[in-house]
Amino acid sequence: MHEWFQAGPSSTANKPLEAKSRNRLRFRMNSTVSTPIAFDYPQQDAAGTTCTAQAWAKTPPQLHGTEKADVTARIKKLLVEKDAALVAHYYVDGDIQDLALSTGGYVADSLEMARFGKNHSAKNLIVAGVRFMGESAKILNPEKRVFMPDLDATCSLDLGCDASDFAAFRALHPDRTVVVYANTSAAVKAQADWMVTSSCALAIVHQLKVEGKKILWAPDRHLGRYIQEQTGADMLLWNGACIVHDEFKAVELEMLKAAHPNAMVLVHPESPQAVVDLADVVGSTSAMIKAVVEGSATEYIVATDNGILHRMRQLAPNKKLIEAPTAGNSATCKSCAHCPWMAMNGLQGILNCLENASGEIFIDEPIRVEALGCIERMLDFTKNHPDLLAKAQHGFVKNIGAA
């Protein structure tokens, strides 16, 4: 077992993380390639400082030729035999996205993944994404069995918002409505009044502001700042970040824009403010795809996980897509515009779910019941107010609707 380490903001010494955090992931020595990934971890008082912690991400071996064709064929056969549906996020490998679409499954953002899993009749769900997505599917579908290609596929936002630390933070502010991003554990969602995704966060927070609510937000500080700026809501922010979007660089983006003056810049709101300020479109993955498909520009600079480019190219084959820069000359990057935990999803992992019932999601029933309310509240809101997700509202960025 490898140790995780946490270093203080000004400390040069590495110290082991508390056991409760260290046990969130397990590192197993096998044929996969394992890499330590650094992420932000707030101090327990959540006073605005962060430490640096590490978790492990494992890249599965790539399949090729007849082996890939054989595994794919077996998956397709077993999806039917096991009454299972495959739902995949836009950030996972393109082969998995294609497999989901070709078998009657779904490829979507977090909001639409949640809707699909709830509405589909399949008795078993295979969720290709990261851990919180599988947990959300199980929270909404306790009667279904939910599996993931690799249960260790997590998220820096989830890792950086420990449920116990968040409970202590929340207890200090009992007067605030608790709104958490989808990228959190079931145990954190169980403490929330609302869950939101980047597709509906602006609309929901705007509505809460109209109702006079003060908000406690977690975990992404960049998305929280953006929502606060756009809505004017009174928001107290947890100090977390996505390792992918946090690495986009404004200076390099400006240079890329200069090299492509006619390109439209698409930025996910989990990105730093200086990057968001350079955008023509700020939005969720679905909003970005919509902008490419419906936009009049021929070139697009895309500042989000590069896994999305696969679906964009399929839907808009005549558009030129350019990855936004994550680092300058001679610099290094932690993610290089692709989530290391999304990369843990592989075809062999999906086959293992179907053949061996591996990677099943289990959630303690009291936590599931407590977490259900905030997710259903979001789904009811988006169902009853679809117009708020499709057209510009107060302070929304030009050329697109809700983030």
Side-chain angles (χ1 to χ4, degrees):
M1 178 73 73
H2 282 245
E3 287 277 17
W4 293 8
F5 292 98
Q6 175 177 346
S10 60
S11 172
T12 58
N14 288 328
K15 297 174 289 186
L17 281 172
E18 293 182 12
K20 64 182 178 182
S21 295
R22 186 167 57 246
N23 290 334
R24 293 283 297 282
L25 282 180
R26 295 179 177 86
F27 171 66
R28 298 188 299 271
M29 187 66 70
N30 53 29
S31 61
T32 62
V33 178
S34 298
T35 306
I37 307 298
F39 63 94
D40 285 350
Y41 193 86
Q43 289 189 330
Q44 289 192 2
D45 59 4
T49 57
T50 57
C51 302
T52 298
Q54 290 184 355
W56 292 91
K58 307 186 299 294
T59 304
Q62 292 291 311
L63 303 181
H64 302 283
T66 56
E67 182 183 21
K68 177 179 173 181
D70 176 63
V71 168
T72 301
R74 287 157 66 191
I75 290 172
K76 289 181 177 180
K77 181 174 181 288
L78 287 169
L79 284 171
V80 175
E81 292 179 359
K82 303 287 188 178
D83 189 18
L86 173 61
V87 56
H89 193 271
Y90 289 124
Y91 293 164
V92 301
D93 183 79
D95 288 337
I96 296 176
Q97 296 184 45
D98 293 345
L99 180 59
L101 292 174
S102 68
T103 56
Y106 204 47
V107 178
D109 61 11
S110 298
L111 175 60
E112 296 305 323
M113 287 175 75
R115 280 203 185 112
F116 177 85
K118 183 178 181 181
N119 296 331
H120 200 279
S121 61
K123 295 179 181 178
N124 299 288
L125 298 174
I126 313 295
V127 178
V130 289
R131 180 65 180 252
F132 75 83
M133 297 174 181
E135 288 186 344
S136 294
K138 185 62 178 179
I139 290 167
L140 286 166
N141 302 279
E143 76 287 356
K144 297 180 181 181
R145 298 183 73 182
V146 177
F147 302 87
M148 299 194 71
D150 195 321
L151 288 176
D152 285 347
T154 185
C155 168
S156 59
L157 288 167
D158 184 357
L159 288 171
C161 191
D162 177 82
S164 298
D165 293 344
F166 184 68
F169 180 52
R170 182 174 60 89
L172 296 175
H173 308 281
D175 59 324
R176 290 184 176 267
T177 297
V178 179
V179 181
V180 301
Y181 196 28
N183 302 41
T184 48
S185 67
V188 169
K189 291 181 177 72
Q191 304 176 48
D193 300 301
W194 289 83
M195 186 193 90
V196 298
T197 71
S198 54
S199 293
C200 61
L202 274 172
I204 288 174
V205 171
H206 175 71
Q207 181 60 37
L208 292 174
K209 186 214 172 190
V210 170
E211 296 173 4
K213 302 290 179 60
K214 295 192 298 181
I215 293 166
L216 188 152
W217 166 270
D220 192 287
R221 61 179 179 265
H222 297 309
L223 179 57
R225 179 213 55 79
Y226 175 73
I227 295 169
Q228 188 175 42
E229 176 187 83
Q230 298 297 308
T231 64
D234 182 340
M235 296 176 65
L236 182 63
L237 309 180
W238 185 260
N239 195 19
C242 166
I243 63 167
V244 176
H245 297 97
D246 195 43
E247 289 196 318
F248 289 116
K249 308 298 182 185
V251 172
E252 285 76 21
L253 181 54
E254 286 180 327
M255 291 190 290
L256 190 60
K257 286 184 64 175
H260 300 272
N262 296 320
M264 178 173 283
V265 179
L266 315 179
V267 175
H268 195 284
E270 291 176 27
S271 305
Q273 182 175 3
V275 176
V276 170
D277 289 344
L278 295 172
D280 297 300
V281 173
V282 179
S284 67
T285 50
S286 293
M288 288 183 173
I289 291 174
K290 177 183 176 185
V292 171
V293 172
E294 299 180 359
S296 58
T298 58
E299 291 185 316
Y300 296 84
I301 298 172
V302 183
T304 192
D305 190 296
N306 60 28
I308 200 174
L309 300 179
H310 178 78
R311 192 66 182 138
M312 283 181 170
R313 290 183 179 117
Q314 289 180 328
L315 295 174
N318 297 322
K319 305 291 179 68
K320 182 178 180 180
L321 306 176
I322 305 163
E323 287 187 39
T326 58
N329 293 335
S330 301
T332 59
C333 52
K334 290 182 288 188
S335 71
C336 300
H338 187 47
C339 174
W341 294 294
M342 286 286 186
M344 291 171 66
N345 290 270
L347 292 172
Q348 184 62 53
I350 295 172
L351 182 61
N352 291 341
C353 293
L354 293 163
E355 286 188 335
N356 308 318
S358 65
E360 184 166 6
I361 292 284
F362 295 99
I363 301 174
D364 291 341
E365 185 62 8
I367 291 178
R368 189 199 69 81
V369 171
E370 289 292 327
L372 179 62
C374 72
I375 302 178
E376 288 193 324
R377 199 166 287 121
M378 174 195 70
L379 293 176
D380 289 343
F381 180 92
T382 56
K383 179 181 179 180
N384 295 328
H385 303 89
D387 55 316
L388 296 182
L389 308 182
K391 67 180 182 180
Q393 297 293 316
H394 299 283
F396 278 29
V397 178
K398 62 183 179 180
N399 300 326
I400 202 68

